[in-house]
Amino acid sequence: MMLIPCPWCGPRDEIEFHYGGQAGVAYPQDPQAVSDQDWAEFLFFRDNPRGEFAERWLHAAGCRRWFGLRRDTVTNRVLDSDDTRTVTQ
Amino acid sequence: MSRFRLRTGGRIDRDRPLRFTFDGREYQGYEGDTLASALLANGVHQVATSIKHGRPRGIMAAGVEEPNALVQIEKPFPEPMQTATTVRLADGLEATGLPGQGRLATDPDPARYDSMHAHCDVLVVGAGPAGLTAALTAARSGARVIVADADTEFGGGLLGTSERLDGAPADTWVRQAVAELDRYPEVRQLPGTTVFGHYENNYLVALEHRGEHAHTRQRVWRIRAREVVHATGSHERPLVFSGNDRPGILLAGAARTYLHRYGVVPGERVAVFTTDDSAYAAAVDLHDAGVEIAAVVDARGSVPPPWESLCTERGITLMPGSAVVTTSGRERIDQVRVAPWWQDEAAPGAEHTRIACDTLLVSGGWNPAVHLHSQARGGLCFSEDLGAFVPDGYPPSVRSAGSAAGEPTTDACLASGADAGARAAVACGLTAEPADLPRAGSVPVRSGRTVWMVPSPTDSTGDTQYVDLARDATVADVRRAIGAGMESVEHIKRYTTLSTAHDQGKTSGTLASGVITELLGRSTGEIGTTTFRAPYTPVAFAALAGRERGDLYDPVRVTSIHDWHVEQGAPFEDVGQWKRPWYYPRGDEDMEAAVLRECGAVRSGVGIQDVSTLGKIDVQGPDAAEFLDLVYTNKMSTLKVGRVRYGLMCHADGMVFDDGTVARVDEHRYLITTTSGGAAGVLQWLEDWLQTEWPHLRVHLTSVTEHWATIALAGPRSREVLSRVAPGMELDKDGFPFMSWKDGTVAGHGARVFRISFSGELAFEVSVPWWHGREVWEALVEAGEPLGITPYGTETMHVLRAEKGLPIVGQDTDGTVTPYDLGMGWAVSKKKDDFLGKRSFTRADTARTDRKQLVGLLPADPDLVLAEGAQVVEHPELPAPPVPMLGHVTSSYRSAVLERGFALALVEAGRDRIGDTVHATAGDRLVAATITDHVFYDKEGARRDG
């Protein structure tokens, strides 16, 4: 059970959160102008690193805010969290 | 008193005898006994036969590491797979020995279980010498301390030895330490509590046994600690030699514990086989308790001086440079054979000395209990000095102390505990004073000889050399695994099942690594250990569940009209956490009869349904219209105030994930509805886009599902019913057109009425504040009574909507279905620049014309109702597999108005196949069905205005 630092509510148990996958995957500015290949990349392809990973979390059973978090996927150690980095554009 | 129970000594209460039954025979023990100590006191060693080889097995240890003595408790409550060494004796206890596998109780567990949550500065796991000094040092600094120990009382190893601290019996100091801890208000002592899991960020989980007569039998503690000190002690390691599994063979330290803790001696003539110093104490203590010591066999070349003189004084025969090579005995050991085996020799010599005995004590050194340390991702290395794996590298805020860290003596344990406690306190920002430590005056300990197995003159394959007694895994099994090409300890473990029993290899794990090392000719450090995983000891599911079972397993949500449905005898269907009435049987009607009657009533008269569970989200803000245009496939910004539009939501991949209605309440305000089960997911989805992609949009979302009780009136006579309780509202089709809403008064309460229909009939949905739900419902039922108003449930709703070809998201869709697949291209805007899903409609795969499409299916036999989920295939005879599947039935019912069975199905290129005959599985056979349009009834929509 990780202790996740919500930027609004402070450190809380992992069960209060929903995982949102890789951070920084922006919705294309003009999807209709994007190639099929690029669109498929946006829809289906995500990084899965061993080690540091920037990801999105939602404090679902708390303030219901999305925020960004950098986590080491090997140790589950949280490196930092930041409410501003959830904004992808 | 039996000849195995001493007249004095031990921590049992001889004034409180307890009667118990084992394997059908009655015995007596005392308050303070475990089942194992009470059995030994009665001369009972054999507890069971082994799981694979059926060999007699006895009590080997005195704690959680016990590999053999598995019992099934019959009374007070049936519980399988308990170790006799950890079962507290109770009056009337009934137990039987288990050959490796137990059976679950068939009666419900009457006991109560609970969970506790706690936070602390320093959690100390284990209350032996190191744990107590760690807890004392941290507590004196003012830290909030929790100290937990699996045993019923604190003291750990000190309780099972004759050790003295500062010249007094060690338990005097233990009592003082416990009394001091009691005085600190911020210290919580948890005896009888096994910490069984150590997870991220120092989240530890523990099981507290509160006793069979406690209000709560067991509690699971979930503890978040800033700093953790693992003072978990160590487990003695047995030795691998031929015939090392007979009853009467015990760990030397366990024999010492039985003597000092329970006043029990294990036999009358005891031989000892050791590779290290600690077993000598057992020999000396047992001798002093009146037991004959046949010999002490030491695999090392000489006996350490202090022990040599203590033994010689007592006339104990010493046999250094020797090993036990084999044993004999039927149900219990009766003889050991000893051969000379000097340290530099590959195998023991051929000459044997036979020594008669009824007990053999073994000691192959001590394994630090690194389980929790390792679970916390602490490193391990093999210490050649100790012949064991010890902590090497700690995760942040985690430390080990005492014998868990490889400390060999009581003095060293006391000091390392105090040091760890002080450092933990300092890490919490406190000032820790160096602790005032008692002195044990421990004699120095000489290194052991690391012996992984004793080569046998009679058993060269190792069939009788047991590595894991709980799994009956032998040296021969390890040989076979290596012969099959395995080199990794993880692979060999799985191949041989080594260390996978109830004890998770507490006595066998390190031995297994050692035996593998020897057979492969590698170093033990290189082979390493298998991964340590929670739980450290078995935990009952009942304890993990705590109170969250039965009615408390999951929250139940009911509407404000729920009690009325219960009074009518409606069975309920679970939709998410909601209870929804399924149908309303009259008399002895079954579901099919009730649903046909309810459907008929809605099509010909009027029905009433509680639809309060539909998700409702209030969308407000100057950019609400723009936002909804982005998340719905159709255009919501052009919707006029007072009007309602059906909407589909897709994920960015173009697949439908929810649907509902959108009502424009005001210029900057909409009320949207979602499926009953999808409300939370839709709100989360919308928030995600608002917060992370479109933070510039000024929109607020609020869940208002439980603000409004909503009642659907459906059927050609619904207008008449509503008019009787809403006299002030204009209800005719021009004044209140289809797909519009208006506020008014219904049954005396302010209401918002929508003219929308999920059945195709003239219909109204009346929303009133939640707490007026039942009152308005009853008023509508009363007003409709002369018209035969019929309450209907979710099943009738499903049939009626299916007759109209309206899909249910999650039933007729599965996350791979686009609006076009559903035949709902009309709900997809062609005018909007973008919305979620739009780009995906032109992806090659999404644009295929032979995708699975929603169509109708009419079975050739009109009486047949196809099974939902039935596969659809082309031909009446199945070809050889793989059989090409065309699709599957998603919804299937009997229709009152069609007077036959009908179905919806997703079928490949279904719309091009309309009129074709396909076949669907029905049990063992295939039945013919005709593909039709998915709208079965009132295609023109002539009935919606009544």
Side-chain angles (χ1 to χ4, degrees):
Chain A
M1 175 82 72
M2 289 194 287
L3 191 64
I4 295 178
C6 171
W8 304 95
C9 308
R12 310 290 304 178
D13 280 349
E14 181 186 342
I15 46 164
E16 295 182 10
F17 297 84
H18 279 291
Y19 185 60
Q22 182 178 357
V25 182
Y27 186 74
Q29 280 288 345
D30 180 4
Q32 315 315 318
V34 170
S35 71
D36 272 5
Q37 167 115 22
D38 289 348
W39 183 246
E41 290 276 341
F42 164 74
L43 286 180
F44 304 123
F45 289 78
R46 294 294 182 272
D47 295 340
N48 185 22
R50 185 178 196 282
E52 191 180 318
F53 193 34
E55 53 198 18
R56 296 157 13 102
W57 286 82
L58 168 67
H59 194 189
C63 60
R64 285 178 35 209
R65 300 300 297 176
W66 285 90
F67 60 94
L69 192 94
R70 280 189 317 123
R71 179 178 64 104
D72 186 321
T73 60
V74 178
T75 62
N76 268 349
R77 193 168 313 158
V78 174
L79 305 167
D80 60 53
S81 67
D82 181 354
D83 65 300
T84 57
R85 273 191 297 103
T86 52
V87 179
T88 55
Q89 291 175 336
Chain B
M1 213 165 285
S2 101
R3 57 206 158 118
F4 301 108
R5 179 84 77 179
L6 303 178
R7 298 202 171 275
T8 57
R11 309 178 68 76
I12 49 162
D13 186 349
R14 287 177 177 73
D15 294 331
R16 296 179 65 189
L18 305 171
R19 306 202 64 80
F20 70 101
T21 307
F22 180 72
D23 277 348
R25 285 194 57 184
E26 277 213 14
Y27 298 99
Q28 188 195 294
Y30 294 109
E31 180 72 34
D33 261 327
T34 61
L35 177 57
S37 67
L39 286 171
L40 291 175
N42 286 281
V44 178
H45 273 251
Q46 183 183 340
V47 167
T49 49
S50 67
I51 184 166
K52 280 198 313 208
H53 301 162
R55 287 168 66 103
R57 290 286 165 77
I59 295 160
M60 190 174 197
V64 295
E65 70 272 34
E66 173 61 47
N68 281 338
L70 277 179
V71 295
Q72 171 97 21
I73 305 295
E74 308 290 356
K75 284 181 181 173
F77 174 75
E79 236 186 331
M81 299 294 282
Q82 304 293 302
T83 44
T85 52
T86 58
V87 173
R88 292 179 213 170
L89 197 66
D91 204 42
L93 183 84
E94 278 184 38
T96 50
L98 281 182
Q101 279 176 331
R103 54 177 201 287
L104 291 172
T106 47
D107 302 331
D109 186 345
R112 190 188 296 258
Y113 300 85
D114 217 334
S115 59
M116 300 288 285
H117 294 262
H119 292 77
C120 63
D121 294 323
V122 182
L123 171 64
V124 180
V125 186
L132 285 175
T133 53
L136 283 171
T137 311
R140 285 170 190 163
S141 77
R144 287 187 305 161
V145 175
I146 296 178
V147 52
D149 193 286
D151 211 331
T152 48
E153 50 181 329
F154 282 3
L158 294 174
L159 301 177
T161 64
S162 50
E163 218 149 352
R164 299 176 78 80
L165 292 177
D166 284 343
D171 70 330
T172 307
W173 177 77
V174 172
R175 272 202 305 276
Q176 287 166 359
V178 168
E180 183 182 340
L181 290 174
D182 265 337
R183 288 200 296 274
Y184 300 111
E186 293 293 336
V187 172
R188 191 196 295 273
Q189 299 180 53
L190 294 174
T193 303
T194 310
V195 177
F196 63 81
H198 188 157
Y199 300 91
E200 292 98 348
N201 304 103
N202 278 348
Y203 185 81
L204 290 93
V205 189
L207 180 68
E208 180 188 15
H209 294 269
R210 291 165 64 78
E212 298 303 328
H213 303 293
H215 180 67
T216 300
R217 184 169 182 251
Q218 296 177 351
R219 297 198 294 205
V220 170
W221 285 81
R222 295 177 172 87
I223 303 167
R224 183 77 74 177
R226 273 193 193 164
E227 298 288 320
V228 174
V229 176
H230 288 309
T232 45
S234 53
H235 296 138
E236 197 165 22
R237 196 161 68 214
L239 285 158
V240 177
F241 50 88
S242 177
N244 63 336
D245 66 326
R246 291 182 208 284
I249 300 179
L250 273 83
L251 292 165
R256 225 179 157 208
T257 299
Y258 285 118
L259 173 65
H260 295 291
R261 182 89 188 264
Y262 305 105
V264 171
V265 294
E268 294 177 313
R269 188 175 154 83
V270 174
V272 180
F273 178 22
T274 186
T275 63
D276 75 331
D277 284 8
S278 66
Y280 285 92
V284 167
D285 289 356
L286 282 172
H287 175 275
D288 294 351
V291 176
E292 185 185 350
I293 305 299
V296 179
V297 179
D298 193 330
R300 297 173 297 181
S302 64
V303 178
W307 294 113
E308 185 171 23
S309 53
L310 285 169
C311 290
T312 313
E313 279 166 24
R314 289 165 171 81
I316 296 173
T317 308
L318 297 175
M319 302 179 76
S322 307
V324 170
V325 291
T326 187
T327 66
S328 59
R330 288 177 67 84
E331 279 161 10
R332 179 161 174 182
I333 189 167
D334 60 18
Q335 190 186 70
V336 295
R337 291 196 207 178
V338 179
W341 189 27
W342 299 103
Q343 194 124 15
D344 48 359
E345 286 175 347
E351 281 174 40
H352 295 170
T353 307
R354 292 162 193 251
I355 297 172
C357 61
D358 63 3
T359 304
L360 173 65
L361 305 186
V362 295
S363 177
W366 294 80
N367 294 324
V370 294
H371 308 70
L372 294 174
H373 163 81
S374 186
Q375 284 181 29
R377 296 166 186 264
L380 293 176
C381 70
F382 186 75
S383 157
E384 297 288 344
D385 261 3
L386 291 172
F389 290 95
V390 294
D392 177 38
Y394 291 99
S397 302
V398 179
R399 298 172 176 78
S400 289
S403 60
E407 298 295 348
T409 64
T410 301
D411 278 326
C413 287
L414 291 164
S416 87
D419 179 56
R423 282 189 293 138
V426 169
C428 294
L430 299 159
T431 310
E433 301 286 330
D436 197 13
L437 295 176
R439 291 271 311 150
S442 310
V443 295
V445 173
R446 211 174 67 185
S447 280
R449 172 178 175 184
T450 301
V451 172
W452 297 123
M453 54 188 187
V454 180
S456 163
T458 52
D459 176 15
S460 57
T461 53
D463 284 319
T464 59
Q465 298 178 342
Y466 286 88
V467 183
D468 186 345
L469 285 81
R471 280 286 188 230
D472 266 350
T474 63
V475 170
D477 293 324
V478 179
R479 271 188 219 284
R480 270 190 287 277
I482 289 171
M486 277 166 251
E487 296 189 348
S488 147
V489 63
E490 296 285 3
H491 292 157
I492 294 170
K493 166 187 168 173
R494 282 156 180 80
Y495 189 77
T496 58
T497 72
L498 267 168
S499 308
T500 59
H502 64 280
D503 62 343
Q504 291 284 292
K506 289 188 182 64
T507 53
S508 64
T510 305
L511 265 184
S513 296
V515 169
I516 294 165
T517 297
E518 204 150 302
L519 295 177
L520 283 173
R522 301 253 187 89
S523 78
T524 313
E526 192 186 337
I527 296 295
T529 65
T530 54
T531 310
F532 293 92
R533 292 195 179 86
Y536 171 68
T537 51
V539 181
F541 282 116
L544 292 174
R547 295 189 182 206
E548 288 160 32
R549 57 181 185 172
D551 287 345
L552 298 181
Y553 174 67
D554 198 32
V556 170
R557 302 174 77 186
V558 297
T559 73
S560 58
I561 311 166
H562 182 77
D563 290 349
W564 191 92
H565 309 315
V566 173
E567 287 157 21
Q568 300 298 310
F572 289 86
E573 183 179 26
D574 291 337
V575 180
Q577 291 170 330
W578 288 106
K579 295 282 177 199
R580 298 199 69 183
W582 200 4
Y583 56 95
Y584 298 81
R586 281 189 191 162
D588 52 4
E589 272 181 345
D590 60 8
M591 176 162 124
E592 188 175 284
V595 170
L596 284 173
R597 174 179 51 74
E598 290 171 14
C599 287
V602 174
R603 292 274 181 240
S604 63
V606 57
I608 183 167
Q609 188 191 14
D610 180 358
V611 294
S612 305
T613 62
L614 277 183
K616 308 172 198 78
I617 301 170
D618 185 54
V619 182
Q620 289 192 57
D623 299 318
E626 185 184 346
F627 175 64
L628 293 181
D629 274 351
L630 286 166
V631 297
Y632 280 103
T633 58
N634 36 7
K635 207 165 168 104
M636 298 303 174
S637 52
T638 54
L639 191 64
K640 295 195 166 46
V641 174
R643 301 292 296 186
V644 183
R645 190 166 285 166
Y646 174 79
L648 275 175
M649 279 187 195
C650 290
H651 282 146
D653 63 6
M655 303 303 158
V656 173
F657 97 104
D658 206 78
D659 71 340
T661 58
V662 177
R664 191 162 202 168
V665 180
D666 210 333
E667 174 68 15
H668 294 148
R669 187 171 189 183
Y670 292 80
L671 180 70
I672 70 173
T673 65
T674 73
T675 54
S676 292
V682 170
L683 181 62
Q684 182 178 319
W685 165 254
L686 298 178
E687 281 286 357
D688 186 353
W689 288 94
L690 259 186
Q691 290 180 31
T692 71
E693 285 293 344
W694 307 314
H696 58 283
L697 294 181
R698 294 159 299 166
V699 179
H700 285 276
L701 305 172
T702 310
S703 168
V704 293
T705 302
E706 287 169 5
H707 296 201
W708 301 95
T710 306
I711 301 162
L713 282 175
R717 306 193 75 174
S718 55
R719 187 180 282 126
E720 276 177 77
V721 175
L722 187 56
S723 67
R724 293 180 185 201
V725 289
M729 288 185 81
E730 197 179 357
L731 298 177
D732 63 270
K733 74 178 168 66
D734 299 321
F736 194 177
F738 187 58
M739 297 307 272
S740 65
W741 65 269
K742 58 168 69 175
D743 288 339
T745 302
V746 176
H749 292 289
R752 178 163 292 163
V753 183
F754 298 77
R755 250 211 71 195
I756 53 182
S757 175
F758 198 36
S759 58
E761 300 298 329
L762 172 68
F764 299 85
E765 282 187 11
V766 180
S767 286
V768 293
W770 190 263
W771 51 91
H772 296 315
R774 177 157 181 174
E775 191 188 335
V776 173
W777 172 276
E778 286 185 344
L780 286 164
V781 168
E782 196 190 324
E785 224 151 47
L787 305 172
I789 194 167
T790 301
Y792 65 96
T794 50
E795 191 65 19
T796 291
M797 172 187 79
H798 284 182
V799 178
L800 296 172
R801 64 86 206 178
E803 288 168 350
K804 286 289 292 175
L806 297 169
I808 288 193
V809 172
Q811 172 161 341
D812 302 293
T813 72
D814 59 4
T816 68
V817 178
T818 69
Y820 297 100
D821 298 339
L822 291 175
M824 297 176 90
W826 55 265
V828 180
S829 165
K830 312 290 178 294
K831 293 177 188 151
K832 292 195 285 186
D833 290 340
D834 192 31
F835 55 85
L836 293 178
K838 179 179 169 85
R839 173 63 183 83
S840 290
F841 296 141
T842 54
R843 288 183 63 236
D845 184 63
T846 321
R848 278 190 294 121
T849 54
D850 60 348
R851 290 177 58 83
K852 286 183 183 168
Q853 294 158 345
L854 190 72
V855 291
L857 270 188
L858 288 175
D861 173 0
D863 268 343
L864 187 71
V865 177
L866 295 170
E868 289 175 351
Q871 293 294 318
V872 177
V873 296
E874 184 93 57
H875 301 292
E877 301 282 334
L878 288 185
V883 180
M885 299 292 169
L886 294 182
H888 67 278
V889 174
T890 57
S891 294
S892 180
Y893 312 96
R894 187 180 302 285
S895 165
V897 69
L898 304 175
E899 296 180 322
R900 57 169 299 136
F902 74 107
L904 294 172
L906 286 168
V907 176
E908 259 175 39
R911 278 198 290 278
D912 293 337
R913 293 178 192 258
I914 286 174
D916 288 3
T917 298
V918 289
H919 297 82
T921 52
D924 295 336
R925 61 202 177 102
L926 288 175
V927 294
T930 307
I931 296 186
T932 68
D933 186 76
H934 61 291
V935 183
F936 293 92
Y937 183 67
D938 183 31
K939 278 191 178 57
E940 320 70 45
R943 303 185 59 83
R944 70 181 192 203
D945 289 325

